[in-house]
Amino acid sequence: MNREKVFLFKPDARFFNFDESSFIIDISDHTLYSLGKSSALMAASLDGKTHMNGIIDIIRGYYRVSAEDGAGAVEKFISMMLQKHLIKEV
């Protein structure tokens, strides 16, 4: 996957990030996706400005993981969001 790509939530996807709980709601089919802390951190970076390498750097700084593990986590998250049609490339 090209790590220079930038993503943004689609209009039907709403991301909510609270202190104790984070989730995405797909209003097109009323589906709720609960997020863990690392997924919420990645989702918060889907702002249409931050490329995948930037998200990897954020994950690596927060969790102190290897470049390979950080990239794998971000790529898996992005792939899942694309598969569920919650984000789009900008």
Side-chain angles (χ1 to χ4, degrees):
M1 185 176 283
N2 178 351
R3 295 183 186 161
E4 293 299 317
K5 291 184 176 184
V6 176
F7 296 93
L8 181 66
F9 281 102
K10 288 186 171 182
D12 287 344
R14 303 288 194 274
F15 171 59
F16 297 89
N17 193 15
F18 300 107
D19 289 338
E20 297 187 21
S21 179
S22 298
F23 52 92
I24 299 167
I25 298 175
D26 184 345
I27 61 173
S28 68
D29 64 3
H30 307 287
T31 304
L32 174 73
Y33 300 94
S34 293
L35 303 177
K37 290 186 180 193
S38 62
S39 294
L41 188 60
M42 288 183 264
S45 300
L46 298 174
D47 56 7
K49 300 174 191 168
T50 307
H51 52 73
M52 286 181 62
N53 279 327
I55 299 171
I56 293 167
D57 290 343
I58 291 167
I59 293 296
R60 290 191 64 216
Y62 194 83
Y63 288 104
R64 295 184 181 171
V65 296
S66 69
E68 183 178 315
D69 288 343
V74 171
E75 288 177 3
K76 182 177 178 180
F77 178 77
I78 296 293
S79 293
M80 183 177 61
M81 294 288 102
L82 287 168
Q83 181 181 17
K84 295 186 181 297
H85 306 287
L86 296 171
I87 62 174
K88 63 181 178 179
E89 186 178 348
V90 293

